[in-house]
Amino acid sequence: EFVTLLCTPTNLKELAIGFLVAEKIITELEEIKDVLIDMDKGLIWVELFKYKKIAKASFGKRYLTSGCGKGTVFYHLNDTINAKPLPIKNKVAIETIFTFSEVISKREIKKTLKLGGIHKALFVHNGKAYTSMSDVGRHNAVDKVLGKLFLDGKKMTDGTIFTTGRISSEILSKSYTMGVSTIVSLSSPTSLSLKMAEELNITLVGYAK
């Protein structure tokens, strides 16, 4: 067992793959042999073609909550301290930021009234929405988007992730690992994520309302 995630039970394949890619357990699409999901038991098995020592070393019973930073975090800050900045600093038109911030805000309000509090993540490429995901956890919503992009073989360096959640260092680290160069949030960025964004050549926008 690698991890227990508390999540909204939708787009579970994308969630599992996005999480494992962000944790650097999976690096290439060709590594994935099969993904099996048992909705009744709440279990997901991800089978790889090749044995990986890093995956074996990471096994154990750990929990990642849907909350804000109280769960287990597998990445280490050292992974990004000496990391190379992304080669491209993406430029995003202010109109694009306003447009999709409004889109994600309206969708969030509609969902919240119906279902209760959830987070939304959206990937925009060339001025168009490519995929959007929802989850009770802000990390999970981003993982689902990243998983979808990875499974589709989508280039991410010139795209933008929009999120309703706070931009923490974990969110920024996940995005960096996947090569996403721009993150826009309706909420606040942390001071650490701002410092990391500056060093890693990532464009970060907070309070985009």
Side-chain angles (χ1 to χ4, degrees):
E1 180 180 344
F2 185 70
V3 67
T4 297
L5 293 171
L6 303 182
C7 65
T8 303
T10 57
N11 302 102
L12 294 180
K13 181 177 181 179
E14 289 83 359
L15 173 61
I17 297 303
F19 178 82
L20 292 174
V21 171
E23 299 299 329
K24 301 178 183 177
I25 301 300
I26 298 173
T27 55
E28 300 290 339
L29 185 59
E30 293 73 19
E31 295 176 19
I32 302 171
K33 184 176 182 180
D34 201 4
V35 179
L36 301 173
I37 300 173
D38 188 326
M39 290 293 290
D40 294 331
K41 294 181 179 179
L43 296 173
I44 305 174
W45 292 268
V46 179
E47 186 178 2
L48 305 181
F49 280 106
K50 189 176 180 180
Y51 172 83
K52 281 197 165 186
K53 289 185 178 180
I54 185 173
K56 179 70 174 178
S58 300
F59 283 166
K61 199 164 187 178
R62 288 170 290 189
Y63 291 83
L64 188 63
T65 73
S66 59
C68 300
K70 292 185 179 180
T72 302
V73 177
F74 296 133
Y75 96 101
H76 297 286
L77 190 58
N78 291 334
D79 293 341
T80 52
I81 286 178
N82 297 316
K84 294 181 179 180
L86 293 177
I88 301 173
K89 189 154 190 176
N90 193 27
K91 293 184 178 180
V92 183
I94 192 68
E95 293 81 5
T96 299
I97 293 175
F98 286 151
T99 296
F100 289 101
S101 293
E102 186 176 0
V103 167
I104 199 172
S105 178
K106 286 182 176 179
R107 288 181 181 177
E108 168 66 7
I109 292 170
K110 184 177 179 181
K111 284 276 189 179
T112 301
L113 290 174
K114 185 177 180 182
L115 301 174
I118 63 165
H119 281 291
K120 194 92 176 177
L122 173 73
F123 185 76
V124 174
H125 186 256
N126 289 335
K128 295 181 180 180
Y130 181 78
T131 186
S132 64
M133 298 285 177
S134 300
D135 199 275
V136 68
R138 58 190 172 88
H139 293 85
N140 295 340
V142 171
D143 278 338
K144 287 178 179 180
V145 166
L146 296 176
K148 171 68 173 172
L149 296 170
F150 184 81
L151 289 167
D152 289 351
K154 182 72 174 176
K155 184 181 178 183
M156 305 180 206
T157 52
D158 55 351
T160 303
I161 282 186
F162 286 77
T163 175
T164 55
R166 176 170 54 88
I167 304 176
S168 61
S169 55
E170 295 97 331
I171 294 291
L172 192 124
S173 179
K174 287 175 182 288
S175 302
Y176 170 79
T177 299
M178 301 290 278
V180 177
S181 57
T182 312
I183 311 170
V184 178
S185 173
L186 302 185
S187 187
S188 63
T190 63
S191 58
L192 180 56
S193 68
L194 287 168
K195 292 177 182 178
M196 291 170 63
E198 187 72 27
E199 293 177 2
L200 297 174
N201 211 21
I202 293 174
T203 300
L204 192 156
V205 181
Y207 294 115
K209 299 181 181 179

